[in-house]
Amino acid sequence: SSLPEKKVIFKGLTVNKENMNKLMLTPLIRYPLPGGSALITFEEAKVAQRIIEMREHTVELSCGELEELEQCRVRVQAVPMEIPLPSALEIRLTPSRRSILLSALPSLDISREALLDKLELFFSKTKNGGSEVESREFLEDSDQVMLTFWVAGVAEPLIEKGHIQVPIGKGEYKVKISPCMNGDISNLQLQPSRCPRTVLLLGIPDVLSEESMRDALEIHFQKASRGGGEVDALAYVPAGRTGVAVFVEDTD
């Protein structure tokens, strides 16, 4: 049978389909550096490229710390700084059977530790649908709390509720309960990516103090007459030691 015509108004959020199911990664890469090396970052990428193309550089040192004149120059090798970055990444997500995520937490004039104590006390009681809590923690860079119970099967009924009223102090607050997902990397492919403004210097002998060698390198590579330019940062690792360089996203 025919139904009467009815006007409807759609109220919702539209999204770009291409942006769905995408994972945003923020680079934070720790890269080991051998002894006798240095990382130098220039303000301009074209300067770094010019230094790499020249390949070998003769750096003049301060003779104040050296006895022999021929030791006042050292040769170093300039090579591109390439670090592995993910080109393809697949993550298999599985919900935890013992953990829940708590969000929409109230902003109260108490410490985070005190709030964790209140939440643990509430969710450890069976009358509230909980059980003995194994661990609790605020997630890094988040206002969400992850609660983990000692036994399985407690999380699912709480997640089905979606929200729960939690008494804290003199008030009662509606807290959101969400599933806690565990992610396992099932496929990871890497490809080298060159840092456009950074150069790796190798073969630096241990003939000066760390500070003096760092100054000598910076003086040499900031001179336009030697192919250099303005230096943004320089890190030096003396021979016999090792270092770790931390790479983050270039926002310039």
Side-chain angles (χ1 to χ4, degrees):
S1 60
S2 60
L3 297 176
E5 187 176 306
K6 185 176 182 181
K7 294 182 178 181
V8 296
I9 299 176
F10 173 76
K11 293 183 178 181
L13 177 66
T14 59
V15 297
N16 187 346
K17 189 176 180 180
E18 295 180 355
N19 295 329
M20 296 178 65
N21 299 322
K22 283 191 175 181
L23 177 66
M24 301 300 295
L25 296 178
T26 301
L28 181 61
I29 300 169
R30 292 174 172 84
Y31 192 91
L33 293 177
S37 69
L39 275 181
I40 181 168
T41 299
F42 296 95
E43 291 186 356
E44 295 182 291
K46 63 181 182 181
V47 177
Q49 183 60 34
R50 186 165 61 237
I51 293 296
I52 293 170
E53 290 174 354
M54 295 171 66
R55 182 69 181 183
E56 190 173 89
H57 300 264
T58 301
V59 181
E60 294 183 2
L61 306 179
S62 171
C63 297
E65 299 184 26
L66 305 173
E67 296 179 357
E68 301 179 13
L69 184 62
E70 58 267 21
Q71 289 181 308
C72 290
R73 293 183 178 89
V74 296
R75 291 184 177 180
V76 299
Q77 304 292 322
V79 297
M81 184 65 239
E82 295 185 336
I83 54 179
L85 291 180
S87 59
L89 176 64
E90 294 180 6
I91 299 178
R92 181 176 58 250
L93 296 176
T94 55
S96 172
R97 299 190 63 232
R98 298 196 300 119
S99 299
I100 58 174
L101 283 182
L102 303 177
S103 58
L105 299 171
S107 298
L108 302 174
D109 191 20
I110 60 174
S111 67
R112 283 194 162 195
E113 195 65 25
L115 180 57
L116 289 175
D117 289 340
K118 299 288 186 181
L119 293 172
E120 179 179 353
L121 181 62
F122 178 85
F123 284 98
S124 64
K125 297 179 179 179
T126 55
K127 68 177 183 179
N128 297 326
S131 181
E132 186 177 357
V133 175
E134 178 184 357
S135 63
R136 80 278 171 90
E137 63 174 318
F138 269 96
L139 298 184
E140 187 177 356
D141 299 327
S142 170
D143 290 329
Q144 295 183 335
V145 169
M146 181 175 70
L147 280 184
T148 301
F149 300 99
W150 279 104
V151 297
V154 180
E156 289 91 335
L158 289 172
I159 293 170
E160 288 179 2
K161 290 183 178 181
H163 294 82
I164 194 168
Q165 295 291 129
V166 179
I168 302 177
K170 297 181 180 180
E172 193 170 90
Y173 304 90
K174 187 177 182 180
V175 174
K176 183 178 180 181
I177 307 175
S178 305
C180 182
M181 308 298 291
N182 293 322
D184 297 318
I185 297 177
S186 57
N187 181 31
L188 174 62
Q189 298 177 20
L190 300 174
Q191 68 177 14
S193 177
R194 179 177 294 192
C195 300
R197 298 191 298 118
T198 301
V199 177
L200 176 61
L201 304 176
L202 300 172
I204 305 173
D206 188 17
V207 293
L208 290 181
S209 66
E210 184 174 347
E211 183 177 357
S212 297
M213 180 62 78
R214 187 165 50 243
D215 291 342
L217 292 171
E218 185 166 354
I219 290 171
H220 176 90
F221 285 101
Q222 72 180 359
K223 292 184 177 180
S225 60
R226 293 165 180 168
E230 289 297 324
V231 174
D232 191 19
L234 189 147
Y236 165 59
V237 182
R241 292 165 55 182
T242 57
V244 176
V246 180
F247 292 88
V248 296
E249 185 177 7
D250 189 354
T251 57
D252 293 341

